[in-house]
Amino acid sequence: SAVISQKPSRDICQRGTSLTIQCQVDSQVTMMFWYRQQPGQSLTLIATANQGSEATYESGFVIDKFPISRPNLTFSTLTVSNMSPEDSSIYLCSVGEGNQPQHFGDGTRLSIL
Amino acid sequence: KQEVTQIPAALSVPEGENLVLNCSFTDSAIYNLQWFRQDPGKGLTSLLLIQSSQREQTSGRLNASLDKSSGRSTLYIAASQPGDSATYLCAVHTGANNLFFGTGTRLTVIP
């Protein structure tokens, strides 16, 4: 199964700032996914990132707030922009193709002061 | 929209007991169902994947079943150990490469 590394593992940020989270996979994958897990909640898909095209965002998430890059088949970044305390969550990237299991990174725990 | 429910929300059992975690989903048009465990402050570890055409999958002390027509899955853990303590999440794959997650069952195995 794919090994997924996320950086940073955690951060504490000031409101109004932005943070970019990196996701590196040890093999080439077509699709990468970004999820958010708010405190005490389950996971919600933010967007799907394909290499060479713009990310596809789920309802309630917009590119201006969560810009995503996918420069190649092993790497993606998610930026959380103009952060507020409501953005305090765990952000996770995952990979999975077709009917294969999805695998997740360890996540980035983000706290906004 | 697919909705996934997990019952119970929390479960505490003594070491050595067998236990069952439940997952239900509202739309039976799924590609597969996946069970994960999540340790505190960590990401998700994939445990088992059941394709929509399958009835069950086994890995070690874990057995997951799927009844697609009734919208239910169970995760059976045999001879529970303290190291099994974690939150268990089920997720259904609807074919749009999107996983719909339940809210999880927090399991505590008491030594």
Side-chain angles (χ1 to χ4, degrees), chain A residues 71-103:
Chain A
N72 57 52
L73 291 173
T74 63
F75 187 77
S76 179
T77 67
L78 169 75
T79 299
V80 186
S81 303
N82 188 25
M83 289 183 286
S84 66
E86 293 71 35
D87 294 320
S88 296
S89 297
I90 300 174
Y91 293 85
L92 302 108
C93 71
S94 75
V95 301
E97 307 278 352
N99 251 352
Q100 298 304 305
Q102 276 204 16
H103 296 281

PDB file of all heavy atoms in Angstrom, chain A residues 71-103:
ATOM      1  N   PRO A  71       1.290  19.423  -8.630  1.00  0.00           N
ATOM      2  CA  PRO A  71       2.275  19.619  -9.694  1.00  0.00           C
ATOM      3  C   PRO A  71       2.746  18.336 -10.375  1.00  0.00           C
ATOM      4  O   PRO A  71       3.246  18.388 -11.492  1.00  0.00           O
ATOM      5  CB  PRO A  71       3.436  20.299  -8.969  1.00  0.00           C
ATOM      6  CG  PRO A  71       3.297  19.835  -7.555  1.00  0.00           C
ATOM      7  CD  PRO A  71       1.831  19.713  -7.305  1.00  0.00           C
ATOM      8  N   ASN A  72       2.636  17.191  -9.667  1.00  0.00           N
ATOM      9  CA  ASN A  72       3.058  15.919 -10.270  1.00  0.00           C
ATOM     10  C   ASN A  72       2.268  14.784  -9.645  1.00  0.00           C
ATOM     11  O   ASN A  72       1.352  15.013  -8.843  1.00  0.00           O
ATOM     12  CB  ASN A  72       4.574  15.734 -10.097  1.00  0.00           C
ATOM     13  CG  ASN A  72       4.995  15.780  -8.636  1.00  0.00           C
ATOM     14  OD1 ASN A  72       4.435  15.069  -7.796  1.00  0.00           O
ATOM     15  ND2 ASN A  72       5.980  16.611  -8.330  1.00  0.00           N
ATOM     16  N   LEU A  73       2.622  13.559 -10.014  1.00  0.00           N
ATOM     17  CA  LEU A  73       1.821  12.403  -9.607  1.00  0.00           C
ATOM     18  C   LEU A  73       2.123  11.898  -8.202  1.00  0.00           C
ATOM     19  O   LEU A  73       1.535  10.906  -7.768  1.00  0.00           O
ATOM     20  CB  LEU A  73       2.014  11.268 -10.613  1.00  0.00           C
ATOM     21  CG  LEU A  73       1.417  11.516 -12.002  1.00  0.00           C
ATOM     22  CD1 LEU A  73       1.812  10.400 -12.960  1.00  0.00           C
ATOM     23  CD2 LEU A  73      -0.093  11.627 -11.926  1.00  0.00           C
ATOM     24  N   THR A  74       3.039  12.548  -7.489  1.00  0.00           N
ATOM     25  CA  THR A  74       3.385  12.089  -6.135  1.00  0.00           C
ATOM     26  C   THR A  74       3.231  13.173  -5.077  1.00  0.00           C
ATOM     27  O   THR A  74       3.545  12.938  -3.904  1.00  0.00           O
ATOM     28  CB  THR A  74       4.838  11.572  -6.083  1.00  0.00           C
ATOM     29  OG1 THR A  74       5.728  12.654  -6.390  1.00  0.00           O
ATOM     30  CG2 THR A  74       5.048  10.422  -7.059  1.00  0.00           C
ATOM     31  N   PHE A  75       2.754  14.341  -5.432  1.00  0.00           N
ATOM     32  CA  PHE A  75       2.792  15.452  -4.490  1.00  0.00           C
ATOM     33  C   PHE A  75       1.574  16.352  -4.663  1.00  0.00           C
ATOM     34  O   PHE A  75       1.083  16.567  -5.780  1.00  0.00           O
ATOM     35  CB  PHE A  75       4.078  16.270  -4.735  1.00  0.00           C
ATOM     36  CG  PHE A  75       4.327  17.352  -3.721  1.00  0.00           C
ATOM     37  CD1 PHE A  75       4.825  17.051  -2.470  1.00  0.00           C
ATOM     38  CD2 PHE A  75       4.076  18.682  -4.040  1.00  0.00           C
ATOM     39  CE1 PHE A  75       5.078  18.050  -1.535  1.00  0.00           C
ATOM     40  CE2 PHE A  75       4.316  19.687  -3.115  1.00  0.00           C
ATOM     41  CZ  PHE A  75       4.822  19.370  -1.861  1.00  0.00           C
ATOM     42  N   SER A  76       1.096  16.891  -3.535  1.00  0.00           N
ATOM     43  CA  SER A  76       0.018  17.873  -3.556  1.00  0.00           C
ATOM     44  C   SER A  76       0.153  18.768  -2.338  1.00  0.00           C
ATOM     45  O   SER A  76       0.747  18.384  -1.320  1.00  0.00           O
ATOM     46  CB  SER A  76      -1.344  17.179  -3.543  1.00  0.00           C
ATOM     47  OG  SER A  76      -2.407  18.126  -3.544  1.00  0.00           O
ATOM     48  N   THR A  77      -0.376  19.976  -2.458  1.00  0.00           N
ATOM     49  CA  THR A  77      -0.451  20.862  -1.304  1.00  0.00           C
ATOM     50  C   THR A  77      -1.863  21.398  -1.159  1.00  0.00           C
ATOM     51  O   THR A  77      -2.590  21.571  -2.141  1.00  0.00           O
ATOM     52  CB  THR A  77       0.517  22.065  -1.417  1.00  0.00           C
ATOM     53  OG1 THR A  77       0.112  22.923  -2.481  1.00  0.00           O
ATOM     54  CG2 THR A  77       1.955  21.615  -1.633  1.00  0.00           C
ATOM     55  N   LEU A  78      -2.238  21.632   0.086  1.00  0.00           N
ATOM     56  CA  LEU A  78      -3.500  22.289   0.438  1.00  0.00           C
ATOM     57  C   LEU A  78      -3.140  23.511   1.266  1.00  0.00           C
ATOM     58  O   LEU A  78      -2.392  23.391   2.248  1.00  0.00           O
ATOM     59  CB  LEU A  78      -4.382  21.358   1.254  1.00  0.00           C
ATOM     60  CG  LEU A  78      -5.613  21.992   1.898  1.00  0.00           C
ATOM     61  CD1 LEU A  78      -6.700  22.251   0.858  1.00  0.00           C
ATOM     62  CD2 LEU A  78      -6.163  21.111   3.025  1.00  0.00           C
ATOM     63  N   THR A  79      -3.645  24.663   0.880  1.00  0.00           N
ATOM     64  CA  THR A  79      -3.453  25.877   1.661  1.00  0.00           C
ATOM     65  C   THR A  79      -4.756  26.234   2.353  1.00  0.00           C
ATOM     66  O   THR A  79      -5.816  26.213   1.713  1.00  0.00           O
ATOM     67  CB  THR A  79      -2.978  27.041   0.776  1.00  0.00           C
ATOM     68  OG1 THR A  79      -1.717  26.692   0.183  1.00  0.00           O
ATOM     69  CG2 THR A  79      -2.811  28.318   1.582  1.00  0.00           C
ATOM     70  N   VAL A  80      -4.684  26.517   3.633  1.00  0.00           N
ATOM     71  CA  VAL A  80      -5.831  27.035   4.371  1.00  0.00           C
ATOM     72  C   VAL A  80      -5.601  28.532   4.513  1.00  0.00           C
ATOM     73  O   VAL A  80      -4.628  28.953   5.162  1.00  0.00           O
ATOM     74  CB  VAL A  80      -5.981  26.356   5.739  1.00  0.00           C
ATOM     75  CG1 VAL A  80      -7.267  26.810   6.417  1.00  0.00           C
ATOM     76  CG2 VAL A  80      -5.964  24.843   5.596  1.00  0.00           C
ATOM     77  N   SER A  81      -6.440  29.330   3.874  1.00  0.00           N
ATOM     78  CA  SER A  81      -6.199  30.771   3.744  1.00  0.00           C
ATOM     79  C   SER A  81      -7.014  31.574   4.744  1.00  0.00           C
ATOM     80  O   SER A  81      -8.104  31.167   5.159  1.00  0.00           O
ATOM     81  CB  SER A  81      -6.574  31.231   2.327  1.00  0.00           C
ATOM     82  OG  SER A  81      -5.861  30.520   1.354  1.00  0.00           O
ATOM     83  N   ASN A  82      -6.450  32.710   5.129  1.00  0.00           N
ATOM     84  CA  ASN A  82      -7.166  33.654   5.985  1.00  0.00           C
ATOM     85  C   ASN A  82      -7.860  32.914   7.140  1.00  0.00           C
ATOM     86  O   ASN A  82      -9.077  32.977   7.308  1.00  0.00           O
ATOM     87  CB  ASN A  82      -8.183  34.442   5.172  1.00  0.00           C
ATOM     88  CG  ASN A  82      -8.811  35.569   5.966  1.00  0.00           C
ATOM     89  OD1 ASN A  82      -8.231  36.077   6.928  1.00  0.00           O
ATOM     90  ND2 ASN A  82     -10.009  35.957   5.585  1.00  0.00           N
ATOM     91  N   MET A  83      -7.052  32.233   7.920  1.00  0.00           N
ATOM     92  CA  MET A  83      -7.590  31.295   8.914  1.00  0.00           C
ATOM     93  C   MET A  83      -8.339  31.985  10.047  1.00  0.00           C
ATOM     94  O   MET A  83      -7.985  33.093  10.483  1.00  0.00           O
ATOM     95  CB  MET A  83      -6.454  30.441   9.465  1.00  0.00           C
ATOM     96  CG  MET A  83      -5.934  29.429   8.443  1.00  0.00           C
ATOM     97  SD  MET A  83      -4.675  28.358   9.094  1.00  0.00           S
ATOM     98  CE  MET A  83      -3.272  29.452   9.157  1.00  0.00           C
ATOM     99  N   SER A  84      -9.368  31.292  10.510  1.00  0.00           N
ATOM    100  CA  SER A  84     -10.140  31.700  11.684  1.00  0.00           C
ATOM    101  C   SER A  84     -10.226  30.508  12.620  1.00  0.00           C
ATOM    102  O   SER A  84      -9.917  29.374  12.229  1.00  0.00           O
ATOM    103  CB  SER A  84     -11.545  32.156  11.261  1.00  0.00           C
ATOM    104  OG  SER A  84     -12.267  31.060  10.734  1.00  0.00           O
ATOM    105  N   PRO A  85     -10.639  30.726  13.868  1.00  0.00           N
ATOM    106  CA  PRO A  85     -10.727  29.591  14.808  1.00  0.00           C
ATOM    107  C   PRO A  85     -11.577  28.427  14.294  1.00  0.00           C
ATOM    108  O   PRO A  85     -11.305  27.272  14.651  1.00  0.00           O
ATOM    109  CB  PRO A  85     -11.349  30.225  16.053  1.00  0.00           C
ATOM    110  CG  PRO A  85     -10.865  31.636  16.009  1.00  0.00           C
ATOM    111  CD  PRO A  85     -10.858  32.007  14.543  1.00  0.00           C
ATOM    112  N   GLU A  86     -12.552  28.720  13.425  1.00  0.00           N
ATOM    113  CA  GLU A  86     -13.397  27.651  12.885  1.00  0.00           C
ATOM    114  C   GLU A  86     -12.623  26.698  11.973  1.00  0.00           C
ATOM    115  O   GLU A  86     -13.108  25.604  11.651  1.00  0.00           O
ATOM    116  CB  GLU A  86     -14.569  28.240  12.099  1.00  0.00           C
ATOM    117  CG  GLU A  86     -15.593  29.001  12.937  1.00  0.00           C
ATOM    118  CD  GLU A  86     -15.062  30.321  13.457  1.00  0.00           C
ATOM    119  OE1 GLU A  86     -14.273  30.987  12.740  1.00  0.00           O
ATOM    120  OE2 GLU A  86     -15.419  30.695  14.603  1.00  0.00           O
ATOM    121  N   ASP A  87     -11.447  27.103  11.539  1.00  0.00           N
ATOM    122  CA  ASP A  87     -10.617  26.247  10.701  1.00  0.00           C
ATOM    123  C   ASP A  87      -9.774  25.265  11.506  1.00  0.00           C
ATOM    124  O   ASP A  87      -9.069  24.424  10.930  1.00  0.00           O
ATOM    125  CB  ASP A  87      -9.693  27.103   9.822  1.00  0.00           C
ATOM    126  CG  ASP A  87     -10.452  27.932   8.806  1.00  0.00           C
ATOM    127  OD1 ASP A  87     -11.430  27.411   8.231  1.00  0.00           O
ATOM    128  OD2 ASP A  87     -10.088  29.112   8.601  1.00  0.00           O
ATOM    129  N   SER A  88      -9.845  25.344  12.820  1.00  0.00           N
ATOM    130  CA  SER A  88      -9.103  24.405  13.664  1.00  0.00           C
ATOM    131  C   SER A  88      -9.643  22.997  13.433  1.00  0.00           C
ATOM    132  O   SER A  88     -10.806  22.707  13.722  1.00  0.00           O
ATOM    133  CB  SER A  88      -9.241  24.793  15.139  1.00  0.00           C
ATOM    134  OG  SER A  88      -8.661  26.055  15.386  1.00  0.00           O
ATOM    135  N   SER A  89      -8.814  22.137  12.885  1.00  0.00           N
ATOM    136  CA  SER A  89      -9.235  20.795  12.473  1.00  0.00           C
ATOM    137  C   SER A  89      -7.993  19.950  12.234  1.00  0.00           C
ATOM    138  O   SER A  89      -6.871  20.454  12.292  1.00  0.00           O
ATOM    139  CB  SER A  89     -10.022  20.830  11.151  1.00  0.00           C
ATOM    140  OG  SER A  89     -11.214  21.560  11.264  1.00  0.00           O
ATOM    141  N   ILE A  90      -8.244  18.678  11.944  1.00  0.00           N
ATOM    142  CA  ILE A  90      -7.198  17.833  11.374  1.00  0.00           C
ATOM    143  C   ILE A  90      -7.445  17.786   9.872  1.00  0.00           C
ATOM    144  O   ILE A  90      -8.573  17.533   9.432  1.00  0.00           O
ATOM    145  CB  ILE A  90      -7.228  16.414  11.959  1.00  0.00           C
ATOM    146  CG1 ILE A  90      -7.022  16.457  13.471  1.00  0.00           C
ATOM    147  CG2 ILE A  90      -6.147  15.558  11.303  1.00  0.00           C
ATOM    148  CD1 ILE A  90      -7.172  15.095  14.143  1.00  0.00           C
ATOM    149  N   TYR A  91      -6.405  18.031   9.099  1.00  0.00           N
ATOM    150  CA  TYR A  91      -6.491  17.962   7.639  1.00  0.00           C
ATOM    151  C   TYR A  91      -5.705  16.739   7.175  1.00  0.00           C
ATOM    152  O   TYR A  91      -4.561  16.542   7.561  1.00  0.00           O
ATOM    153  CB  TYR A  91      -5.955  19.239   7.005  1.00  0.00           C
ATOM    154  CG  TYR A  91      -6.827  20.437   7.308  1.00  0.00           C
ATOM    155  CD1 TYR A  91      -6.654  21.155   8.492  1.00  0.00           C
ATOM    156  CD2 TYR A  91      -7.848  20.815   6.457  1.00  0.00           C
ATOM    157  CE1 TYR A  91      -7.473  22.241   8.798  1.00  0.00           C
ATOM    158  CE2 TYR A  91      -8.670  21.898   6.751  1.00  0.00           C
ATOM    159  CZ  TYR A  91      -8.475  22.596   7.925  1.00  0.00           C
ATOM    160  OH  TYR A  91      -9.301  23.661   8.237  1.00  0.00           O
ATOM    161  N   LEU A  92      -6.352  15.915   6.360  1.00  0.00           N
ATOM    162  CA  LEU A  92      -5.734  14.661   5.933  1.00  0.00           C
ATOM    163  C   LEU A  92      -5.753  14.543   4.416  1.00  0.00           C
ATOM    164  O   LEU A  92      -6.740  14.919   3.779  1.00  0.00           O
ATOM    165  CB  LEU A  92      -6.476  13.455   6.516  1.00  0.00           C
ATOM    166  CG  LEU A  92      -6.576  13.378   8.034  1.00  0.00           C
ATOM    167  CD1 LEU A  92      -7.990  13.662   8.497  1.00  0.00           C
ATOM    168  CD2 LEU A  92      -6.150  12.006   8.525  1.00  0.00           C
ATOM    169  N   CYS A  93      -4.683  14.015   3.880  1.00  0.00           N
ATOM    170  CA  CYS A  93      -4.702  13.675   2.463  1.00  0.00           C
ATOM    171  C   CYS A  93      -4.778  12.163   2.329  1.00  0.00           C
ATOM    172  O   CYS A  93      -4.359  11.418   3.233  1.00  0.00           O
ATOM    173  CB  CYS A  93      -3.504  14.235   1.708  1.00  0.00           C
ATOM    174  SG  CYS A  93      -1.935  13.457   2.060  1.00  0.00           S
ATOM    175  N   SER A  94      -5.328  11.723   1.241  1.00  0.00           N
ATOM    176  CA  SER A  94      -5.443  10.288   0.997  1.00  0.00           C
ATOM    177  C   SER A  94      -5.281  10.010  -0.489  1.00  0.00           C
ATOM    178  O   SER A  94      -5.398  10.916  -1.328  1.00  0.00           O
ATOM    179  CB  SER A  94      -6.791   9.758   1.482  1.00  0.00           C
ATOM    180  OG  SER A  94      -7.831  10.127   0.597  1.00  0.00           O
ATOM    181  N   VAL A  95      -5.008   8.745  -0.784  1.00  0.00           N
ATOM    182  CA  VAL A  95      -4.921   8.291  -2.168  1.00  0.00           C
ATOM    183  C   VAL A  95      -5.699   7.005  -2.295  1.00  0.00           C
ATOM    184  O   VAL A  95      -5.836   6.238  -1.338  1.00  0.00           O
ATOM    185  CB  VAL A  95      -3.451   8.073  -2.610  1.00  0.00           C
ATOM    186  CG1 VAL A  95      -2.657   9.370  -2.461  1.00  0.00           C
ATOM    187  CG2 VAL A  95      -2.788   6.955  -1.837  1.00  0.00           C
ATOM    188  N   GLY A  96      -6.211   6.765  -3.493  1.00  0.00           N
ATOM    189  CA  GLY A  96      -6.953   5.535  -3.734  1.00  0.00           C
ATOM    190  C   GLY A  96      -7.410   5.524  -5.169  1.00  0.00           C
ATOM    191  O   GLY A  96      -7.855   6.546  -5.669  1.00  0.00           O
ATOM    192  N   GLU A  97      -7.312   4.400  -5.818  1.00  0.00           N
ATOM    193  CA  GLU A  97      -7.676   4.288  -7.229  1.00  0.00           C
ATOM    194  C   GLU A  97      -8.807   3.281  -7.394  1.00  0.00           C
ATOM    195  O   GLU A  97      -8.706   2.147  -6.909  1.00  0.00           O
ATOM    196  CB  GLU A  97      -6.470   3.821  -8.053  1.00  0.00           C
ATOM    197  CG  GLU A  97      -5.218   4.645  -7.868  1.00  0.00           C
ATOM    198  CD  GLU A  97      -5.192   5.917  -8.693  1.00  0.00           C
ATOM    199  OE1 GLU A  97      -6.083   6.102  -9.526  1.00  0.00           O
ATOM    200  OE2 GLU A  97      -4.261   6.722  -8.506  1.00  0.00           O
ATOM    201  N   GLY A  98      -9.869   3.708  -8.052  1.00  0.00           N
ATOM    202  CA  GLY A  98     -10.954   2.795  -8.388  1.00  0.00           C
ATOM    203  C   GLY A  98     -11.480   2.063  -7.176  1.00  0.00           C
ATOM    204  O   GLY A  98     -11.871   2.664  -6.190  1.00  0.00           O
ATOM    205  N   ASN A  99     -11.453   0.746  -7.240  1.00  0.00           N
ATOM    206  CA  ASN A  99     -12.002  -0.090  -6.188  1.00  0.00           C
ATOM    207  C   ASN A  99     -10.962  -0.526  -5.163  1.00  0.00           C
ATOM    208  O   ASN A  99     -11.199  -1.435  -4.382  1.00  0.00           O
ATOM    209  CB  ASN A  99     -12.640  -1.339  -6.805  1.00  0.00           C
ATOM    210  CG  ASN A  99     -14.152  -1.287  -6.689  1.00  0.00           C
ATOM    211  OD1 ASN A  99     -14.698  -0.415  -6.042  1.00  0.00           O
ATOM    212  ND2 ASN A  99     -14.819  -2.236  -7.307  1.00  0.00           N
ATOM    213  N   GLN A 100      -9.820   0.129  -5.180  1.00  0.00           N
ATOM    214  CA  GLN A 100      -8.771  -0.197  -4.212  1.00  0.00           C
ATOM    215  C   GLN A 100      -8.977   0.567  -2.910  1.00  0.00           C
ATOM    216  O   GLN A 100      -9.655   1.605  -2.897  1.00  0.00           O
ATOM    217  CB  GLN A 100      -7.398   0.135  -4.809  1.00  0.00           C
ATOM    218  CG  GLN A 100      -7.073  -0.657  -6.054  1.00  0.00           C
ATOM    219  CD  GLN A 100      -7.159  -2.142  -5.806  1.00  0.00           C
ATOM    220  OE1 GLN A 100      -6.521  -2.682  -4.901  1.00  0.00           O
ATOM    221  NE2 GLN A 100      -7.973  -2.830  -6.601  1.00  0.00           N
ATOM    222  N   PRO A 101      -8.396   0.064  -1.810  1.00  0.00           N
ATOM    223  CA  PRO A 101      -8.546   0.790  -0.535  1.00  0.00           C
ATOM    224  C   PRO A 101      -7.954   2.186  -0.625  1.00  0.00           C
ATOM    225  O   PRO A 101      -6.964   2.409  -1.314  1.00  0.00           O
ATOM    226  CB  PRO A 101      -7.755  -0.070   0.446  1.00  0.00           C
ATOM    227  CG  PRO A 101      -7.644  -1.406  -0.188  1.00  0.00           C
ATOM    228  CD  PRO A 101      -7.642  -1.171  -1.665  1.00  0.00           C
ATOM    229  N   GLN A 102      -8.567   3.114   0.080  1.00  0.00           N
ATOM    230  CA  GLN A 102      -7.960   4.432   0.228  1.00  0.00           C
ATOM    231  C   GLN A 102      -7.024   4.390   1.429  1.00  0.00           C
ATOM    232  O   GLN A 102      -7.328   3.775   2.450  1.00  0.00           O
ATOM    233  CB  GLN A 102      -9.025   5.512   0.414  1.00  0.00           C
ATOM    234  CG  GLN A 102      -9.613   6.012  -0.873  1.00  0.00           C
ATOM    235  CD  GLN A 102     -10.198   7.405  -0.775  1.00  0.00           C
ATOM    236  OE1 GLN A 102      -9.929   8.151   0.155  1.00  0.00           O
ATOM    237  NE2 GLN A 102     -11.022   7.761  -1.756  1.00  0.00           N
ATOM    238  N   HIS A 103      -5.897   5.071   1.271  1.00  0.00           N
ATOM    239  CA  HIS A 103      -4.906   5.143   2.342  1.00  0.00           C
ATOM    240  C   HIS A 103      -4.667   6.600   2.688  1.00  0.00           C
ATOM    241  O   HIS A 103      -4.685   7.468   1.809  1.00  0.00           O
ATOM    242  CB  HIS A 103      -3.603   4.466   1.915  1.00  0.00           C
ATOM    243  CG  HIS A 103      -3.784   3.000   1.679  1.00  0.00           C
ATOM    244  ND1 HIS A 103      -3.835   2.085   2.695  1.00  0.00           N
ATOM    245  CD2 HIS A 103      -3.946   2.296   0.530  1.00  0.00           C
ATOM    246  CE1 HIS A 103      -4.015   0.873   2.182  1.00  0.00           C
ATOM    247  NE2 HIS A 103      -4.096   0.977   0.880  1.00  0.00           N
TER     248      HIS A 103
END
